[in-house]
Amino acid sequence: PITPGELLCLGSSLAFSGLFYYLYRRKSRVVARIQEAPKLQVDDNLPALVSAAEGRCLPYVALEGIVLPAQAALTSHYHEGLQGVIQKLLLKEHRLIWNSLARSW
C-alpha cells in the first residue's frame, strides 16, 4: 500500500519535472533562434535595412564590425595583448506584459 505522503511526494516530483522540462524547452527555442541569427556588417547600409524592417526593429541579429573606444581601450591583466571596450546599453520597454506566475507587470 502507498501512503498519502508518498503520493504527495510523487505528485510534486512529477509537477516539478514537468515545469523544469517546459522551461528548458522554451529556453532552448530561444537559444536556437539566437544561433540562427543573421550576421550583418556595421556599414552605411545598416540604417536603411533597419528602417525597412517591420516595426523598424531587427530581432536577433549579430552585428560584426570594428569597434573604436571612446577614450582608451581596456587591457587584460591576464592575457597579454587582449583589449576590450565597454558598451553602454539603454533598454527601453514600451509595453508591459502581465506575469501570471509573479502576478506583476
Side-chain angles (χ1 to χ4, degrees):
I2 299 175
T3 63
E6 291 173 337
L7 284 175
L8 179 67
C9 290
L10 178 65
S12 63
S13 176
L14 288 174
F16 279 120
S17 295
L19 173 68
F20 291 136
Y21 182 70
Y22 167 74
L23 293 174
Y24 165 76
R25 293 285 302 200
R26 199 168 97 186
K27 295 300 178 185
S28 68
R29 284 192 294 262
V30 171
V31 168
R33 283 185 61 197
I34 290 173
Q35 287 177 343
E36 295 169 355
K39 293 181 173 76
L40 302 176
Q41 295 292 326
V42 177
D43 56 7
D44 295 334
N45 299 332
L46 187 60
L49 184 65
V50 171
S51 63
E54 180 183 340
R56 298 188 61 177
C57 179
L58 297 173
Y60 297 121
V61 295
L63 294 177
E64 295 178 340
I66 297 174
V67 177
L68 300 175
Q71 295 174 356
L74 301 172
T75 57
S76 174
H77 296 287
Y78 304 107
H79 299 285
E80 199 171 310
L82 187 63
Q83 293 183 341
V85 295
I86 296 177
Q87 174 188 5
K88 288 186 178 181
L89 179 67
L90 175 65
L91 178 65
K92 190 173 186 180
E93 187 73 26
H94 293 286
R95 64 182 180 143
L96 296 175
I97 299 173
W98 176 254
N99 184 349
S100 62
L101 186 61
R103 297 193 179 270
S104 65
W105 288 99

